[in-house]
Coordinates of all heavy atoms in Angstrom, one line a residue:
P210 N 6.9 -42.0 -57.7 CA 7.9 -41.4 -56.8 C 8.5 -42.5 -55.9 O 7.8 -43.5 -55.6 CB 7.0 -40.5 -55.9 CG 5.7 -40.4 -56.7 CD 5.5 -41.6 -57.5
V211 N 9.7 -42.2 -55.5 CA 10.4 -43.3 -54.7 C 9.8 -43.2 -53.3 O 9.7 -44.3 -52.7 CB 11.9 -42.9 -54.6 CG1 12.6 -43.9 -53.7 CG2 12.5 -42.9 -56.0
F212 N 9.4 -42.0 -52.8 CA 9.0 -41.9 -51.4 C 7.6 -41.6 -51.2 O 6.9 -41.1 -52.1 CB 9.9 -40.8 -50.7 CG 11.3 -41.2 -50.7 CD1 12.2 -40.5 -51.6 CD2 11.9 -42.1 -49.8 CE1 13.6 -40.8 -51.6 CE2 13.2 -42.5 -49.8 CZ 14.1 -41.8 -50.7
A213 N 7.1 -41.8 -50.0 CA 5.8 -41.4 -49.6 C 5.8 -41.2 -48.1 O 6.8 -41.5 -47.4 CB 4.7 -42.5 -49.9
T214 N 4.8 -40.6 -47.6 CA 4.6 -40.4 -46.1 C 3.2 -40.4 -45.7 O 2.3 -40.6 -46.6 CB 5.4 -39.2 -45.6 OG1 5.6 -39.3 -44.2 CG2 4.7 -37.9 -45.9
F215 N 2.9 -40.1 -44.4 CA 1.5 -40.1 -43.9 C 1.1 -38.6 -43.7 O 1.8 -37.8 -43.1 CB 1.4 -40.8 -42.6 CG 1.7 -42.3 -42.8 CD1 3.0 -42.8 -42.7 CD2 0.7 -43.2 -43.0 CE1 3.3 -44.2 -42.9 CE2 0.9 -44.5 -43.1 CZ 2.2 -45.0 -43.1
R216 N -0.1 -38.3 -44.3 CA -0.6 -36.9 -44.2 C -0.5 -36.4 -42.8 O -0.1 -35.2 -42.5 CB -2.0 -36.9 -44.7 CG -2.6 -35.5 -44.8 CD -4.1 -35.5 -45.3 NE -4.1 -36.1 -46.6 CZ -3.9 -35.4 -47.7 NH1 -3.5 -34.1 -47.6 NH2 -3.9 -36.0 -48.9
G217 N -0.9 -37.2 -41.8 CA -0.9 -36.7 -40.4 C 0.4 -37.1 -39.6 O 0.4 -37.1 -38.4
G218 N 1.4 -37.5 -40.4 CA 2.7 -37.9 -39.8 C 2.7 -39.3 -39.4 O 1.6 -40.0 -39.5
Y219 N 3.8 -39.8 -38.9 CA 4.0 -41.3 -38.6 C 3.1 -41.6 -37.4 O 2.9 -42.8 -37.1 CB 5.4 -41.6 -38.3 CG 6.1 -42.1 -39.5 CD1 7.1 -41.4 -40.1 CD2 5.8 -43.4 -40.0 CE1 7.8 -42.0 -41.3 CE2 6.4 -43.9 -41.2 CZ 7.4 -43.2 -41.8 OH 8.0 -43.7 -42.9
A220 N 2.5 -40.6 -36.6 CA 1.7 -41.0 -35.5 C 0.5 -41.8 -36.1 O -0.1 -42.6 -35.4 CB 1.2 -39.7 -34.9
E221 N 0.1 -41.5 -37.3 CA -1.0 -42.3 -37.9 C -0.7 -43.8 -37.9 O -1.6 -44.6 -37.6 CB -1.3 -41.8 -39.4 CG -1.9 -40.5 -39.4 CD -2.7 -40.3 -40.7 OE1 -3.5 -41.1 -41.0 OE2 -2.4 -39.3 -41.5
L222 N 0.5 -44.1 -38.2 CA 0.9 -45.5 -38.3 C 1.1 -46.1 -36.9 O 0.5 -47.1 -36.6 CB 2.3 -45.6 -39.0 CG 2.9 -47.0 -39.1 CD1 2.0 -48.0 -39.7 CD2 4.3 -47.0 -39.8
Y223 N 1.8 -45.4 -36.0 CA 2.1 -46.1 -34.7 C 0.8 -46.1 -33.9 O 0.7 -47.1 -33.1 CB 3.3 -45.6 -34.0 CG 3.5 -44.1 -33.7 CD1 2.8 -43.5 -32.6 CD2 4.5 -43.3 -34.3 CE1 3.0 -42.1 -32.3 CE2 4.7 -42.0 -34.0 CZ 4.0 -41.4 -33.1 OH 4.2 -40.1 -32.7
E224 N 0.0 -45.2 -34.0 CA -1.3 -45.2 -33.2 C -2.2 -46.3 -33.8 O -2.9 -47.0 -33.0 CB -2.0 -43.9 -33.2 CG -1.3 -43.0 -32.2 CD -1.7 -41.5 -32.3 OE1 -2.6 -41.1 -33.2 OE2 -1.1 -40.7 -31.7
A225 N -2.2 -46.5 -35.1 CA -3.1 -47.6 -35.7 C -2.5 -48.9 -35.3 O -3.3 -49.8 -34.9 CB -3.0 -47.5 -37.2
L226 N -1.2 -49.1 -35.3 CA -0.6 -50.4 -34.9 C -1.0 -50.7 -33.4 O -1.4 -51.8 -33.1 CB 0.9 -50.4 -35.0 CG 1.4 -50.4 -36.5 CD1 2.9 -50.2 -36.5 CD2 1.1 -51.8 -37.1
A227 N -0.8 -49.7 -32.5 CA -1.1 -49.9 -31.1 C -2.6 -50.3 -30.9 O -2.9 -51.2 -30.2 CB -0.7 -48.6 -30.3
E228 N -3.4 -49.5 -31.6 CA -4.9 -49.8 -31.4 C -5.3 -51.1 -31.9 O -5.9 -51.9 -31.2 CB -5.6 -48.6 -32.0 CG -7.1 -48.6 -31.6 CD -7.8 -47.5 -32.3 OE1 -7.2 -46.3 -32.5 OE2 -8.9 -47.7 -32.8
Q229 N -4.9 -51.4 -33.2 CA -5.3 -52.6 -33.8 C -4.7 -53.9 -33.3 O -5.2 -55.0 -33.6 CB -5.2 -52.5 -35.3 CG -6.1 -51.4 -35.9 CD -6.0 -51.3 -37.4 OE1 -5.8 -52.3 -38.1 NE2 -5.9 -50.0 -37.9
S230 N -3.5 -53.7 -32.6 CA -2.9 -54.9 -32.0 C -3.7 -55.5 -30.8 O -3.6 -56.6 -30.6 CB -1.5 -54.5 -31.5 OG -1.6 -53.7 -30.3
G231 N -4.5 -54.6 -30.2 CA -5.2 -55.0 -29.0 C -4.3 -55.4 -27.9 O -4.7 -55.9 -26.8
A232 N -3.0 -55.1 -28.0 CA -2.0 -55.4 -26.9 C -2.2 -54.5 -25.7 O -2.7 -53.4 -25.9 CB -0.6 -55.3 -27.5

Side-chain angles (χ1 to χ4, degrees):
V211 177
F212 297 105
T214 195
F215 294 86
R216 186 179 298 280
Y219 266 113
E221 289 203 55
L222 174 61
Y223 55 76
E224 282 166 8
L226 286 170
E228 195 182 316
Q229 294 180 39
S230 72

